Amino acid sequence: MSGFSAELIDYLEGKITFEEFDRRREEREAKQQQDDEDDAQPSTSSQALAKTEEGVSPVVQQAFASMLAAHASSEEEEEEEDSLSYVDDKDDDDYMVEEEEKVEGVERRPRRRAKRKKDKDQQQEAENPTVGDVFALEMELNRENKKMMKERRNRSKLPRALRGLMGEANIRYARGEKEDAILMCMEIIRQAPLAYEPFSTLAMIYEDGEDVDKALQFGLIAAHLNPSDCEEWIKLAEMSLEQGNVRQAIVCYTKAIKYDPTNMRYLWERSSLYMRLGEHKQCMDGYRRILALLPHEDGEHFMQLSKDMAKSYFESNDLPSALGVVEKALVRHPNLVSDDIINMAAELYIANHQYNMALQVVVQFSGVVLGRAEPKADSTPRTEGPKEEEKTTVAEEEKKDGEDAESKTEEDKAPAELGDIIEVHVPDSVPVDIKAKLMVSLIHQHMYEPLEGLMADLMQQCPEQVGDLYLDVGEAFLEEGRYQSALPLLSALVTSNKYNLAVVWLRHAECLKALGHMEVAADSYSKVVEMAPQHLEARLSLSALQQQLGRPLCALKALEPMYDADTLAHDSAAARKELKLLLHRSTLLKTHGRVQDYLDAEITMISMLLKVAMQRAQVSVRSVIVSGERHLRLVKVKDMSDIDDQEAAYQDINGKTSVLSREEWWQLLLSCVRTLCDVQRYKEAELLVDSAMEFFSFYDNKPKRKELEFFGLSATFLDNNFRKAYDYIRLMVMDNVDHPQLWNIFNQLTYNSQHQRHHRFCLRLMLKNPDNHALCVLCGHNALVSGSFKHALGQYVQAFRTHPNNPLYSLCVGLTFFHMASQKFVAKRHPLVLQGFSFLWRYVELRGECQESMYNLGRALHQMGLVHLAIHYYHKALTLPVERLEGIASDQVDLRKEITFNLSLIYQASGNMEMARQLINTHCII
């Protein structure tokens, strides 16, 4: 590079851009031209340009030559390194060649000096390359770099200095000195870890010593360092199979196939290993590659392999792939198509609902002749002049392509150009299997006229031998709604010994049901249930038929449980089938009014959904005997064992209960809770609500959670579990403080529960909602009961100010004043009594003279000791009629018993026992 300018060297090294290089070159040329004019010497740039050949100057040519020479010399050195002469010997040919090169080198020295001088002159003559020269040089350098990077040489990476040691190790191994050979190989590996020779030698040593594991490991390392040796990979694959490592053997075969992709034996062995592992797709991919590599002369193997592949694809439910293999075989070797291939192709086309293609295959390869009627006149559209010319052109093109015209069969034409099939001529040599496929294809294309002769031939065959063909044709008739034609075939099958199967009886029952023979169809369905007790569709159909025939008990018997508890716990498919059966059974039981049995079915279904939730709520399903019958009950269990993996349990439940949607499960749950309440099983309804609240899908849904809370409140209240009902109502009133009905229920619960824990709750809630009227009155009642009369008076006065015309608050304020006046230590007793009577008379004015107002007035006078006035108002209350209130029974608002009892107390205190007894006997009789 000494002949190049400084800017060219910088540009090639990437230090400057091309624009900077061009600018510097122009500046240098201008400066050199000025110096040459001063020195009166000619410029050399024009000479260099004159010697440019084909746009590339001698400088660039020289650079290319030097680069290629250096590349060639490096290749020669690498080839020399590839030689495996580990010990120099004078008798060796390589040694003699080196000596000859030394002698020739002496003679070539003057010649090389002359060449170097000539090159130096050329470099001096072409010191200034052009822009085109630079681009050409750069492009060539890039091409050479890419070429060198893409080269993959499988040469030895063992340094020349270690080849002698490697040879010595091989010699020691050959002499039986294995320990020394191993040490030498380990030393070579330490110094040259990328050389494969020591690993290969170690593999042979350990294999000879029957240490197969180490031999396999060292052999794999050597193979990875020298991957192009296919035989080594095959040997390692066989060793891996001996060790039972099929996956590693597949990797070895894959490596061998990579470097020898056309070796069918490697592909076959790898495909067999894939099949052993159950990896069907990879196995079939290998067989496809073998089919592509098989020569045309090896047609028998091609057809046999294609048949096996199609069968394997069909068993794995991959119909498109199976059809692709069979179609390729039919096109490639039409002369080698056997009856098995024809039968398989027709069966695949029928399974894929390509009935016309199945018919074409049978006609093309079996010699079957179809007789067609002439097409209808209106089915073929008439064409005028231009279209006739187009037809002529198409005919000429088809005539030119003779092979395509011959291969085109009658069935390839458009359906509008063909008439209906009226007869079929089948050679006697055609097997009955292919005849059956022909019949199925005709049936699905609604060609029933030519089937008479074929049906007669089929019916002459023994059903014990060709019963599967009977069933195929019969099912084809059933699919097309030709039940009358299918019935003889199915009847022949059910009376046979070999094909007296549940599936045949099922088709027979479906055919009879479609024809309206209900009694016989029910018998056939019963036969199906007897032979296959776990067939869900047969059970449902049998139950529906028995229901139509007016046999409800037989219909319920058909819907009895199919599986035991252990099977349902471990088999998701069985659980889903059992759920469907229970759903139909529960509907039927509810229709017939068998409520207890209906609840058993509902509880069984819901317990399958809420299995984990019931575990968390400590609820279990138990079987008990009620009135001589066994039924299911929900009970509380304290010592239930927890489920270890609840996440896995939830996933298992989701798989089993996917038969119904979450909304359907929700409606089922509500129906069960309502029915439990209707039969007064409130405790079980409460436990069911508790379990549902532990189910995340219901609890996370706020509307459903609120509805469950209302159901739980009703169930606990009706079950007299007021403590738990208080927990429900407490949450409800916190969310809906202004809801009057909730406060009414709250008052009933606190009244029946007889505990005072709601006092503090009301006070805390009053602090958050000071303007709530219901809370104000309730806190006043709580304070009055607990003896805090001043606090009660404050709450009542607040309620009186907001609702002054409500008689209740006047009564409460008056009674509070009376209680305060009745205390032992009171400073102003008489003003309290006057204020109390003033509010009490206001109450009487607002309420009017009725039994209630007179009784309250008499009771207040009685409390203050004014018994003569109290007697007057008590007797006045007894004379007044009982009020009629809507929704409340009259005996619940009748106060005569309370009035009589208070009067009797007054008379007893005065000594008038006769009057007291008379009042009691008159009004207090139960």
Side-chain angles (χ1 to χ4, degrees), residues 786-801:
S786 60
S788 301
F789 301 122
K790 292 184 178 180
H791 177 65
L793 184 61
Q795 298 294 334
Y796 288 145
V797 169
Q798 181 181 353
F800 176 77
R801 289 175 179 174

Side-chain angles (χ1 to χ4, degrees), residues 887-902:
I888 302 177
S890 59
D891 58 343
Q892 293 185 2
V893 294
D894 188 4
L895 299 175
R896 286 179 296 179
K897 296 181 177 61
E898 288 80 2
I899 297 170
T900 302
F901 181 74
N902 291 344

Side-chain angles (χ1 to χ4, degrees), residues 453-737:
L454 296 174
M455 277 288 294
D457 293 341
L458 182 61
M459 294 297 293
Q460 291 178 359
Q461 303 290 330
C462 179
E464 300 288 345
Q465 299 177 358
V466 294
D468 55 338
L469 304 181
Y470 272 62
L471 185 59
D472 292 341
V473 177
E475 288 181 341
F477 278 123
L478 289 178
E479 291 177 6
E480 297 300 331
R482 308 281 293 189
Y483 304 107
Q484 197 65 42
S485 301
L487 186 58
L489 296 169
L490 298 174
S491 299
L493 287 177
V494 297
T495 56
S496 64
N497 295 325
K498 185 177 179 180
Y499 290 93
N500 185 17
L501 304 175
V503 62
V504 180
W505 279 104
L506 180 63
R507 297 291 180 267
H508 187 253
E510 292 173 353
C511 185
L512 290 171
K513 181 181 178 182
L515 292 173
H517 306 312
M518 299 301 179
E519 290 282 352
V520 188
D523 296 337
S524 297
Y525 276 120
S526 300
K527 193 71 175 179
V528 177
V529 174
E530 179 183 350
M531 301 175 72
Q534 298 173 356
H535 197 290
L536 176 63
E537 299 300 330
R539 284 176 171 270
L540 298 181
S541 300
L542 176 60
S543 176
L545 277 179
Q546 299 288 12
Q547 188 75 6
Q548 292 178 11
L549 294 173
R551 304 169 183 171
L553 296 179
C554 295
L556 287 173
K557 186 178 180 181
L559 297 178
E560 290 180 349
M562 299 184 294
Y563 301 96
D564 54 5
D566 294 337
T567 305
L568 294 176
H570 298 91
D571 192 350
S572 298
R576 288 192 291 269
K577 292 171 64 177
E578 190 73 17
L579 273 177
K580 291 181 181 179
L581 185 72
L582 286 172
L583 186 63
H584 286 80
R585 180 178 175 83
S586 63
T587 304
L588 194 59
L589 288 169
K590 189 175 183 179
T591 303
H592 293 292
R594 300 178 59 174
V595 181
Q596 298 296 333
D597 294 332
Y598 166 75
L599 284 174
D600 292 344
E602 294 274 293
I603 291 173
T604 304
M605 287 189 287
I606 293 174
S607 63
M608 296 175 67
L609 176 70
L610 304 180
K611 180 180 178 182
V612 180
M614 293 174 70
Q615 194 84 10
R616 294 163 61 92
Q618 297 183 345
V619 178
S620 178
V621 180
R622 298 291 174 85
S623 178
V624 298
I625 297 177
V626 180
S627 302
E629 296 181 355
R630 188 170 293 276
H631 294 287
L632 298 180
R633 291 291 185 269
L634 294 173
V635 295
K636 188 78 171 179
V637 180
K638 295 183 179 180
D639 54 349
M640 292 187 68
S641 58
D642 295 335
I643 298 176
D644 297 332
D645 192 354
Q646 293 192 2
E647 186 66 27
Y650 271 116
Q651 292 178 0
D652 181 56
I653 290 172
N654 290 332
K656 292 179 180 178
T657 59
S658 58
V659 176
L660 301 177
S661 64
R662 282 290 177 261
E663 187 60 31
E664 291 173 336
W665 278 113
W666 172 251
Q667 296 299 329
L668 192 67
L669 175 67
L670 296 185
S671 175
C672 186
V673 173
R674 292 192 186 100
T675 309
L676 286 172
C677 293
D678 291 340
V679 296
Q680 299 182 0
R681 290 164 60 176
Y682 305 118
K683 183 65 176 179
E684 295 179 59
E686 175 188 342
L687 294 176
L688 187 58
V689 171
D690 293 343
S691 302
M693 293 288 282
E694 294 289 341
F695 191 65
F696 295 147
S697 297
F698 294 156
Y699 187 80
D700 291 342
N701 191 326
K702 189 174 181 179
K704 287 184 173 59
R705 184 171 72 247
K706 294 298 181 183
E707 192 166 357
L708 281 176
E709 289 176 356
F710 279 110
F711 275 109
L713 174 63
S714 302
T716 51
F717 186 84
L718 294 173
D719 192 40
N720 296 327
N721 190 355
F722 302 114
R723 180 172 292 275
K724 191 168 184 178
Y726 174 77
D727 296 334
Y728 282 115
I729 195 63
R730 181 170 171 270
L731 297 175
M732 293 179 184
V733 297
M734 289 175 66
D735 293 337
N736 302 278
V737 183

Side-chain angles (χ1 to χ4, degrees), residues 102-115:
K102 289 179 181 179
V103 176
E104 290 176 2
V106 178
E107 295 178 356
R108 292 175 182 173
R109 285 178 185 173
R111 195 180 305 167
R112 291 178 180 174
R113 289 176 182 173
K115 185 177 180 180

